[in-house]
Amino acid sequence: MYMKSKIHAKSQEKFLSNLLRSFGQDIGIDLGTANTLVYVKNRGIVINEPSVVAINTKSRQVLAIGQEAKTMVGRTPAHIVATRPLVNGVVSDFEVTEQMLKYFINKVTQRGFFHHWKTRVVVGIPSGVTEVEKRAVYDATRNAGVREVYLIEEPIAAAIGARLPIQEATGSIIVDIGGGTTEIAVMSLGGVVISKSLRVAGDKLNNDIIRYIRTHYKLAIGERTAENIKINIGSAYALSESMEMGVKGRDIISGLPKEVKVNDTDIRKAMANSIMQIASAVKTSIEETPPELIGDIMERGIILAGGGALLKGLDILITNTTRIPTLITSDPLTVVVRGTGMVLEDLDSLKELLIPLDINKKPNISI
Ligand code: ADP
Ligand code: MG
């Protein structure tokens, strides 16, 4: 009899919580250094925009966020700056990060007390961030009106998104190459065995290209041009066919516009040092991995994620450096946000993979 009423009470509780949940929304956010993606349950990925904010430095007013702000990069008058609030994977400008998060969350949430009240958000953040920065992201999300906020390390979210069996007694390794950071994580039994966060990733490669073209062709180019070159003809490993493209910029001697032709060998040379740093960090992680897990990893392969995974020939280079087959996860730019969405589907059993935050219980703590 007692058992029966207990079961009854439990099912009533479940019914009530499901009913309340139907008012709210489940939202997953990949707060990347280059791109912010937002997933909403039952709707899929609804936002995929650059993590850029344009600010008027005189009035401190935010002028544009996302794609609109990115097109302003390098084109703004002196008092307008287009900044990336998450430089190098850390929250360098809290106020701007907060505005950006608020803007994206408000864009996808429905209005009304009940909606915000029952909205749950899982945010993926780089693994190298400090307690203060975690707190900053947490606060920013709460200030956007969300009651339940959970944080997850990006490589874990990426591994979940890539459907790696990270909760089983087997080893997996994921390498997430974003804009500001490269994150490497070896995982097993729901825990991170080895983790590395490197501040060498896509942005550094763009800067390498800018510097190389300046030195060798005496041509000044901007970041967006450098990124285009990287995506079009950049490679980590010599490919069977050579590639070439015309690059427009300003001659640094005459100050006049000029176009030069660059090829894949040039660009490979420009990026070689940074790419070796990424490959060496992967190799070191493998060397530090306990032998039992190495066997599993050799079978499963090294999984590449993040936009940097798309760099041509990077998988081949890492295979050659580590002697372990390396694969690119499908759709590497969205894997983190898809992972946060999968966490929301099964929050109860995956809770142990989230960053433990006492602040979930004590929201009024001050730091
Ligand atoms: P983050 O998680 O830090 O926001 P992303 O995973 O969104 O970063 O990846 C962004 C980076 O990936 C940028 O540096 C971008 O230039 C790079 N990228 C995107 N597509 C390609 C490509 N096809 N080849 C090489 N790099 C790429
Ligand atoms: Mg990322």
Side-chain angles (χ1 to χ4, degrees):
M1 186 59 201
Y2 168 74
M3 275 295 284
K4 215 172 178 183
S5 67
K6 204 171 167 189
I7 290 168
H8 186 64
K10 258 223 137 83
S11 68
Q12 241 179 3
E13 200 181 293
K14 199 157 188 187
F15 172 76
L16 220 86
S17 104
N18 281 345
L19 184 73
L20 283 172
R21 174 112 307 119
S22 68
F23 283 110
Q25 271 178 309
D26 281 344
I27 299 172
I29 301 178
D30 169 9
L31 195 57
T33 59
N35 299 298
T36 298
L37 285 80
V38 181
Y39 162 93
V40 178
K41 191 174 171 181
N42 299 329
R43 284 168 63 196
I45 299 169
V46 291
I47 289 179
N48 183 352
E49 292 200 44
S51 311
V52 182
V53 180
I55 301 165
N56 181 331
T57 50
K58 284 184 191 155
S59 61
R60 286 296 290 171
Q61 218 185 347
V62 170
L63 302 173
I65 293 174
Q67 191 54 54
E68 201 188 339
K70 189 176 181 180
T71 52
M72 293 183 180
V73 172
R75 293 197 175 117
T76 54
H79 67 286
I80 295 173
V81 286
T83 69
R84 305 226 327 234
L86 301 145
V87 194
N88 289 334
V90 298
V91 184
S92 57
D93 192 334
F94 176 62
E95 243 177 85
V96 181
T97 307
E98 184 172 327
Q99 297 240 29
M100 190 174 80
L101 263 170
K102 235 183 202 165
Y103 170 80
F104 287 135
I105 291 173
N106 283 335
K107 217 171 163 179
V108 301
T109 46
Q110 292 147 351
R111 306 269 156 228
F113 175 72
F114 272 124
H115 291 127
H116 268 118
W117 188 45
K118 287 314 285 182
T119 293
R120 306 187 301 181
V121 174
V122 171
V123 190
I125 56 169
S127 53
V129 307
T130 62
E131 285 302 317
V132 175
E133 284 157 351
K134 280 177 203 161
R135 172 81 204 186
V137 173
Y138 177 85
D139 281 349
T141 316
R142 288 217 19 134
N143 288 348
V146 178
R147 286 280 293 266
E148 267 185 79
V149 180
Y150 302 95
L151 304 183
I152 186 166
E153 288 184 10
E154 274 171 359
I156 298 184
I160 294 171
R163 297 180 189 277
L164 295 179
I166 59 168
Q167 282 183 301
E168 290 166 26
T170 175
S172 308
I173 180 168
I174 192 136
V175 181
D176 179 357
I177 307 154
T181 56
T182 293
E183 314 246 339
I184 305 167
V186 175
M187 283 162 282
S188 171
L189 281 172
V192 175
V193 183
I194 285 166
S195 131
K196 283 196 198 315
S197 180
L198 204 72
R199 292 194 176 175
V200 179
D203 292 347
K204 178 69 173 55
L205 301 181
N206 298 347
N207 288 332
D208 290 343
I209 293 172
I210 292 177
R211 202 150 42 129
Y212 186 93
I213 291 190
R214 198 182 169 86
T215 312
H216 292 81
Y217 292 93
K218 306 282 175 258
L219 188 75
I221 58 166
E223 252 174 71
R224 291 191 322 135
T225 304
E227 186 176 34
N228 274 337
I229 299 172
K230 175 182 72 178
I231 292 175
N232 285 323
I233 63 163
S235 61
Y237 190 83
L239 304 166
S240 50
E241 258 174 68
S242 81
M243 289 172 293
E244 192 182 61
M245 79 182 260
V247 176
K248 292 191 185 83
R250 184 166 46 81
D251 187 306
I252 56 171
I253 294 159
S254 70
L256 297 173
K258 183 168 88 173
E259 181 169 344
V260 299
K261 284 231 173 327
V262 295
N263 61 36
D264 61 310
T265 312
D266 285 324
I267 303 308
R268 215 164 25 252
K269 266 192 215 151
M271 305 186 299
N273 192 17
S274 302
I275 287 171
M276 265 336 285
Q277 286 182 48
I278 295 173
S280 307
V282 178
K283 186 164 178 257
T284 313
S285 306
I286 297 286
E287 284 162 2
E288 291 168 6
T289 298
E292 288 293 356
L293 299 182
I294 288 289
D296 304 331
I297 287 173
M298 285 183 74
E299 264 172 43
R300 188 160 296 117
I302 295 170
I303 310 298
L304 302 185
L310 294 169
L311 182 71
K312 294 177 197 61
L314 186 61
D315 49 346
I316 303 174
L317 182 83
I318 294 181
T319 303
N320 291 351
T321 314
T322 58
R323 296 206 207 105
I324 295 178
T326 302
L327 314 155
I328 304 163
T329 189
S330 70
D331 207 357
L333 281 153
T334 63
V335 73
V336 169
V337 83
R338 284 187 281 118
T340 62
M342 285 159 73
V343 171
L344 284 160
E345 296 288 335
D346 200 6
L347 199 55
D348 288 333
S349 70
L350 295 175
K351 243 179 191 159
E352 66 200 50
L353 298 175
L354 301 173
I355 296 173
L357 276 177
D358 292 339
I359 46 186
N360 266 330
K361 292 180 210 119
K362 297 176 255 166
N364 290 326
I365 271 181
S366 57
I367 46 164

